Amino acid sequence: FGVAAAAQGWRIAYLGADMPLEQVADAAASLAPDAVVLSAVAAERFEENAEQVAALGARHRLLVGGAGASAKVARRARATRLTGDPVTAAVTMRTQG
């Protein structure tokens, strides 16, 4: 996804897999990004951290993707849900921002 987003003109700061949300929030506060993208294979990852994800969505433009990013997760987090393959998701990020 990061490669596809970069091809759409986004500058990427990849924080890595399994980054604690506290550190994601700290990085977002420091970097002041145009968008924060979170991805998870399992919905439980979002659900276990629902409050932190929602707080991140309240402070930043938040996009969620991966098989774990349901419409319910996106609504609760005030996020845009990215669907489809990574290239389609990157185009969606560009066109909805």
Side-chain angles (χ1 to χ4, degrees):
F1 172 79
V3 171
Q8 292 294 318
W10 292 91
R11 190 181 63 184
I12 305 300
Y14 179 71
L15 301 178
D18 295 323
M19 174 69 68
L21 282 173
E22 298 85 16
Q23 291 180 352
V24 173
D26 290 345
S30 175
L31 295 170
D34 291 327
V36 174
V37 180
L38 300 177
S39 178
V41 174
E44 293 80 21
R45 299 288 290 179
F46 286 115
E47 292 167 5
E48 293 167 353
N49 299 289
E51 288 183 29
Q52 290 175 299
V53 173
L56 196 58
R59 290 189 301 273
H60 301 280
R61 178 179 173 220
L62 181 64
L63 300 103
V64 294
S70 66
K72 177 183 171 184
V73 164
R75 272 193 312 276
R76 286 177 59 187
R78 295 178 243 166
T80 298
R81 182 177 174 223
L82 298 173
T83 59
D85 63 88
V87 173
T88 301
V91 170
T92 299
M93 187 170 79
R94 180 180 50 85
T95 60
Q96 292 186 1

